[in-house]
Amino acid sequence: MEIVVLFSVGILIMVVGLALSIALHELGHFVPAKLFGVRVSQFMIGFGPTLFSRTRGETEFGIKAIPLGGYISMAGMFPPARGSGARTASTGFFQTLVQDARTASADTVTAGDEHRTFYRLPVFKRIIIMLGGPFMNLVIAVVLYAVVLVGFGVAQQSTTIGSVSECVLPATSDRQDCVAGDPESPGATAGILPGDTIASIDGTPIESWEQATEIIRAAPDQELRIVVDRDGSEVPLTAVPSLSERYVVDEAGVIVEDAGGDPVTQDVGFLGIGAAIEVVQQPVSAVLPAVGDNISRVGNLILNLPQRLVDVANAAFGPEERDPNGPISVVGVGRVAGEIASIDTIPIVERASALIGILASLNVALMVFNLVPLLPLDGGHVAGALFEGIRRFFARLFGRKDPGPVDTAKLVPLTLGVVVVLGAMSLLLIYADIVKPISIF
């Protein structure tokens, strides 16, 4: 029962955190829009039927039934058709969509507020408004990363021995336990014990576990003088790393595979010792690089999104496993949050840190995804404003008449296509997260 409660609490934390992130994203649009004089009639969290709303001034603030985003409704998002102040008749489906979009935009302009429309703003002000939302997500991500890295700290390998193997087993061995006849590990032979802290190897002071590992791996069958700190006293030991087959791993700790998909191995020095994990608070200077790395990973995922979605579909409808680093829906995020919250074998502080880290990553994802230059995403509006600015610049440069605002209403059919694709993608991810969820354990 307790696990169920904790699981539910994890989901609730993520729902509230995501709702607040969306609200702050929309606030990032709302504040500059109001400062620039645009009339904002709605500030909504979610889509679909309205569950709750309250009007303050000229703006209706509310919560809607489908928590997959949010929006603010600004007056005059689309300019009127050039050369005509009225709707023109058309029997074409796409033309009707464009006309309906212009009509809906015109309906948001109240009498006397014609000067308070979005499309009348200078290009730079429109860009500021549309970038305000992603900027808020970036600020949230930086703050949350600072809480995780600087406040809680990060679990990392220390120079303290966490484990000592009893024997030496090849990396490709199917066995995990030692049996009679297996050679004793050099670390055990040397008398290294769990809890010892490596102070130096062959006179070289050891500052990190990676440094110690590099020296050991490069010295097979060579005698190493190791000094360890044991209960406050320095204890000199002598160890001879054995030549052993180990997997090759990349910088992320992932096993490298050859062209045929088989793990790559190499013969290196091996003592059979493992590092103890400790939580270390990071300097403030580590925050921005961590955010930048997350942005890079999300950007790479978006660039490869078609193939990633194919992989998700193959996993959802076939025997393949989900990629733990692949795209995930809000349902999957809630499930992961619930799993983390329900782990009663780790301290609550570590669980809180993990949940905050997920929210930080979600805000990075919201920021990067919204910058994609397609309507109805923020990046699409920014691209439209930039195109208009470039067009007007060249018109002035060559002494031509001002071409006026870009008629973004003509892109409504494309926008509808993007919405359909995003909806289909969301349904696929939700289905996959239900039938074949990503597991963090």
Side-chain angles (χ1 to χ4, degrees):
M1 183 63 181
E2 181 181 355
I3 293 179
V4 174
V5 172
L6 291 174
F7 190 92
S8 301
V9 168
I11 294 177
L12 179 61
I13 290 173
M14 202 53 52
V15 169
V16 172
L18 183 58
L20 288 175
S21 297
I22 293 172
L24 290 173
H25 173 99
E26 298 307 327
L27 188 65
H29 295 309
F30 179 80
V31 171
K34 296 293 287 185
L35 288 175
F36 295 147
V38 179
R39 183 176 184 275
V40 182
S41 59
Q42 285 188 315
F43 183 116
M44 291 292 172
I45 308 302
F47 302 106
T50 301
L51 301 178
F52 167 82
S53 71
R54 181 168 295 178
T55 300
R56 288 286 183 270
E58 64 185 11
T59 306
E60 178 190 10
F61 298 85
I63 299 174
K64 290 181 172 286
I66 306 174
L68 295 179
Y71 67 93
I72 64 170
S73 178
M74 292 181 283
M77 287 295 293
F78 299 126
R82 292 178 63 83
S84 174
R87 174 175 172 168
T88 58
S90 175
T91 56
F93 174 71
F94 292 125
Q95 290 85 352
T96 301
L97 285 177
V98 173
Q99 292 169 1
D100 287 345
R102 288 199 186 105
T103 300
S105 176
D107 289 343
T108 63
V109 183
T110 57
D113 284 338
E114 291 82 4
H115 62 291
R116 300 182 62 196
T117 54
F118 177 78
Y119 77 87
R120 289 181 182 272
L121 289 177
V123 168
F124 80 93
K125 290 187 177 181
R126 276 180 276 162
I127 291 176
I128 289 175
I129 290 173
M130 299 318 300
L131 289 182
F135 177 74
M136 283 295 290
N137 290 126
L138 176 61
V139 171
I140 296 169
V142 170
V143 171
L144 294 182
Y145 262 107
V147 171
V148 172
L149 299 178
V150 182
F152 289 102
V154 176
Q156 62 185 41
Q157 293 177 319
S158 67
T159 55
T160 298
I161 307 298
S163 62
V164 179
S165 302
E166 296 179 5
C167 63
V168 178
L169 294 174
T172 54
S173 174
D174 294 330
R175 291 190 292 110
Q176 300 294 324
D177 300 322
C178 298
V179 299
D182 288 334
E184 186 178 29
S185 73
T189 302
I192 299 176
L193 301 176
D196 290 346
T197 298
I198 302 177
S200 66
I201 299 178
D202 278 348
T204 301
I206 299 301
E207 303 295 336
S208 68
W209 184 259
E210 291 74 16
Q211 180 190 11
T213 299
E214 184 177 347
I215 294 174
I216 293 168
R217 291 170 68 90
D221 300 324
Q222 299 179 30
E223 186 177 277
L224 297 178
R225 292 174 289 107
I226 301 176
V227 177
V228 301
D229 186 318
R230 181 177 296 168
D231 297 327
S233 301
E234 289 191 348
V235 179
L237 303 171
T238 300
V240 180
S242 62
L243 185 63
S244 180
E245 183 182 34
R246 300 288 111 186
Y247 287 121
V248 177
V249 297
D250 58 21
E251 294 181 356
V254 179
I255 297 176
V256 177
E257 297 180 346
D258 60 21
D262 297 320
V264 178
T265 62
Q266 63 180 347
D267 292 331
V268 296
F270 176 76
L271 280 184
I273 56 176
I277 303 299
E278 64 179 2
V279 176
V280 179
Q281 292 178 318
Q282 305 297 302
V284 174
S285 59
V287 174
L288 292 183
V291 174
D293 179 67
N294 197 341
I295 291 173
S296 176
R297 285 186 278 112
V298 173
N300 181 69
L301 187 150
I302 291 176
L303 290 175
N304 296 280
L305 191 57
Q307 182 57 50
R308 295 297 188 97
L309 291 176
V310 169
D311 294 338
V312 171
N314 290 335
F317 300 102
E320 291 82 359
E321 292 297 322
R322 291 283 298 278
D323 179 1
N325 297 315
I328 187 173
S329 72
V330 291
V331 172
V333 171
R335 186 184 185 117
V336 170
E339 289 182 357
I340 291 174
S342 61
I343 307 173
D344 56 5
T345 56
I346 62 175
I348 190 171
V349 171
E350 293 185 21
R351 283 179 273 174
S353 176
L355 292 175
I356 294 174
I358 292 176
L359 281 174
S361 296
L362 275 176
N363 274 276
V364 169
L366 286 171
M367 180 197 73
V368 177
F369 189 74
N370 271 285
L371 291 177
V372 174
L374 290 173
L375 292 171
L377 302 174
D378 299 334
H381 291 285
V382 171
L386 287 174
F387 177 73
E388 178 180 319
I390 293 172
R391 190 173 69 166
R392 281 179 158 166
F393 169 77
F394 281 105
R396 289 194 301 269
L397 184 65
F398 294 104
R400 297 172 182 169
K401 181 181 177 181
D402 185 349
V406 171
D407 189 4
T408 50
K410 291 181 179 179
L411 297 176
V412 166
L414 175 62
T415 302
L416 179 61
V418 173
V419 170
V420 170
V421 170
L422 292 179
M425 181 182 72
S426 298
L427 291 175
L428 171 62
L429 292 176
I430 290 173
Y431 176 77
D433 287 331
I434 292 174
V435 300
K436 191 170 289 186
I438 291 176
S439 178
I440 60 175
F441 308 108

